[in-house]
Structure formats: C-alpha cells, structure tokens
Amino acid sequence: MMEFVHVAVAVLGLLSLGHSAPVTSCENLIQPREIHGNQLVGKWTQIAVSLAIPGFNMLTKTVEKVVETAWMNITAANEANTFDILYVQKTRDMCFTLKANMTLVNNSMVHNYQYPTVLLNTGCPDCLVMYSNNTIGRTTFKALHLLSRRVKVSAAELEEFTKQTECLNLESPAILDSEKGFCPDPALAPGTKTTDLSLSNIMPDDLNLSEKLFTE
Ligand SMILES: *[C@@H]1O[C@H](CO)[C@@H](O)[C@H](O)[C@H]1NC(C)=O
Ligand SMILES: *[C@@H]1O[C@H](CO)[C@@H](O)[C@H](O)[C@H]1NC(C)=O
Ligand SMILES: *[C@@H]1O[C@H](CO)[C@@H](O)[C@H](O)[C@H]1NC(C)=O
Ligand SMILES: *[C@@H]1O[C@H](CO)[C@@H](O)[C@H](O)[C@H]1NC(C)=O
Ligand SMILES: *[C@@H]1O[C@H](CO)[C@@H](O)[C@H](O)[C@H]1NC(C)=O
C-alpha cells in the first residue's frame, strides 16, 4: 500500500512538472501583481510583445518583421525605488540601445520616456509580464511584454502569454527568436557599432504615433 502511494505521488509530481504554466482564467491573468524592486534587477530577455494603437492594426506584425532580439539590464540607482534600464535591441542586423530611468510609484513602474507599466500575473516562474495602457498626447498606446531570465520559454508559457493578449484584446504577439543572436552591452563590447536612441525625443507630448510611424 505504501509502495503504491509513493508511486502515485511520484507520478503526480511528474505531471505537475510537465504543466508548470497552467493557462488560467482571464480574470486571474489580467490581475496586477505586487512589484518588488529587487526582483526586477538584472538581465531580462524580451521573449514576446504585443502592441496596440487604435488605427494602426499591423503594428505587432511590423515589430515582428524588423526586431530580431532584445534584452535589458536593470540596475538599482542611488535613490530608493529608482532603477536604470539599458535596453539593447537587434534590428535588421544593427544594434540599438535606449537608456531610461524608472521609478516605482504605487505599484507601477514609471519611465522617464514612457508611460506607467504594471506587472501582471504569470505562471512562468522567472518571467515578467509588463502591461502598459496609457494615453500619450492624442494616442492610446497599449503594450504587453513577456520577459524572462531565460532566452526561451516553454510552449505552455508562451500559450499563457498569448491568452493574456486575448484577454486584453491585443493583437496576437510577436515572438522574438533568440536564435538570431543578441547585441552586446556596448559598455562591455566597445568595438560594436551601436546607435544610442536615448537622446532622441521619442515620446513627445503631442505625439501622433500613427503619423510618425507612417512618415519615418
Ligand atoms: C537618470 O537619472 C539620472 C539622475 O537623476 C540622470 O543623471 C540621468 O541623466 C538619467 N538618465 C536618463 C537616460 O534619463
Ligand atoms: C497612489 O495611489 C493612491 C490611491 O489610489 C492615490 O491617492 C495617489 O494619488 C497615488 N499616488 C501617485 C503618486 O500616483
Ligand atoms: C485602458 O485605459 C482606458 C483609458 O484609461 C480604460 O478605459 C481601459 O479600461 C483600460 N483597459 C484596460 C484593459 O486596462
Ligand atoms: C548590467 O549592469 C551592471 C551595472 O552597470 C553591470 O555590472 C553588468 O555587467 C551588466 N550586465 C550585462 C549583462 O550587461
Ligand atoms: C494622426 O495623423 C494621421 C495621419 O496624418 C491623421 O489621419 C489622424 O487623424 C491623426 N490623429 C489624431 C488623433 O490627430
């Protein structure tokens, strides 16, 4: 009898390992979760993203065509609850960086360039699901990002993220392909040609994003 119980427990254990990221209800998946600053620090790979701007339907598909890979390094700044972010993106075989400051206010991450972002629930143990829903100038901008400590996540974890985009009425996500390789941190690889976008004013108050995206 004891033997049987052991086997049963072992099998159940295996089964639960195979289902580490259960796809749960929308109600649960769009729940903001508490942000602990120290859990943000370090290197994150961008796994997938869905963007939405009304009137610009193919934005996520466009991102998928041009952005190859991206990662970020988050470090704690001197002041409490503030962080420096280095975002490194590989696009059409070129390297771009964007530096930003972020402050935690009211369980939301506030960037110096962009819009407040919250973390949503996720079944993935080493992932962040970042959601921002904001109005910049005259444009409503929604974005859902899946970041992980790993360069690749499981099919079940991606499926859960896709479900989250559906729950929020966003386009199906662009999945970035880690096989395409990453641009390095320019501070650690000074020989690499990198364009720093930090000084360009990418999010002015009166921005009409659809105008900007079509004209550039
Ligand atoms: C981040 O904040 C520091 C101190 O406030 C400032 O010196 C630095 O220029 C900021 N960086 C960016 C990218 O805005
Ligand atoms: C934080 O949230 C509280 C309650 O929702 C609100 O009263 C306060 O204005 C918020 N503070 C900031 C800085 O947004
Ligand atoms: C996004 O923001 C708009 C306007 O602030 C609000 O009406 C809408 O409910 C928000 N959507 C979500 C999914 O939070
Ligand atoms: C992240 O930033 C910290 C502090 O600047 C640096 O020590 C570390 O090497 C960086 N990590 C990567 C992967 O670039
Ligand atoms: C943004 O620009 C586009 C293209 O010029 C225009 O059709 C649209 O009406 C503008 N949207 C707003 C909210 O001003």
Side-chain angles (χ1 to χ4, degrees):
M1 188 57 196
M2 230 23 226
E3 200 71 359
F4 173 75
V5 171
H6 284 151
V7 171
V9 167
V11 169
L12 283 174
L14 272 180
L15 286 177
S16 60
L17 274 182
H19 295 268
S20 62
V23 174
T24 49
S25 69
C26 276
E27 199 188 342
N28 185 17
L29 288 174
I30 65 172
Q31 221 40 250
R33 66 179 229 206
E34 208 177 318
I35 303 177
H36 301 283
N38 54 359
Q39 90 190 141
L40 300 174
V41 169
K43 184 175 176 176
W44 297 96
T45 303
Q46 179 156 22
I47 303 288
V49 59
S50 177
L51 301 170
I53 298 174
F56 196 76
N57 293 330
M58 299 301 284
L59 187 56
T60 304
K61 287 286 156 242
T62 307
V63 166
E64 191 161 49
K65 279 202 200 98
V66 298
V67 178
E68 286 159 43
T69 56
W71 63 278
M72 64 171 95
N73 189 9
I74 302 181
T75 46
N78 290 333
E79 287 163 65
N81 288 324
T82 62
F83 300 87
D84 293 322
I85 302 177
L86 171 69
Y87 179 79
V88 181
Q89 192 183 75
K90 189 173 176 207
T91 297
R92 293 194 169 122
D93 264 330
M94 292 180 290
C95 294
F96 297 92
T97 55
L98 183 65
K99 290 177 188 149
N101 289 337
M102 174 186 80
T103 310
L104 292 183
V105 184
N106 266 358
N107 208 35
S108 142
M109 299 178 267
V110 183
H111 299 223
N112 55 343
Y113 287 103
Q114 294 183 29
Y115 29 84
T117 300
V118 295
L119 290 187
L120 301 186
N121 267 338
T122 172
C124 167
D126 66 354
C127 293
L128 298 176
V129 174
M130 294 184 168
Y131 177 54
S132 48
N133 172 22
N134 222 259
T135 303
I136 307 160
R138 289 161 289 162
T139 306
T140 304
F141 187 97
K142 289 189 196 182
L144 194 70
H145 292 271
L146 176 63
L147 309 173
S148 175
R149 296 291 189 192
R150 287 166 288 158
V151 296
K152 229 176 192 159
V153 299
S154 72
E157 287 160 348
L158 266 185
E159 192 189 326
E160 186 191 63
F161 181 72
T162 302
K163 176 86 189 284
Q164 280 172 304
T165 64
E166 287 163 11
C167 295
L168 293 166
N169 277 322
L170 299 171
E171 291 175 46
S172 71
I175 316 291
L176 305 188
D177 179 5
S178 61
E179 307 280 319
K180 291 182 176 161
F182 295 89
C183 283
D185 181 339
L188 304 177
T192 315
K193 189 171 185 299
T194 301
T195 305
D196 187 6
L197 301 174
S198 304
L199 295 176
S200 56
N201 192 5
I202 55 168
M203 292 287 171
D205 278 350
D206 62 347
L207 181 65
N208 178 342
L209 261 178
S210 46
E211 198 165 59
K212 191 163 171 76
L213 287 165
F214 282 121
T215 54
E216 283 183 2

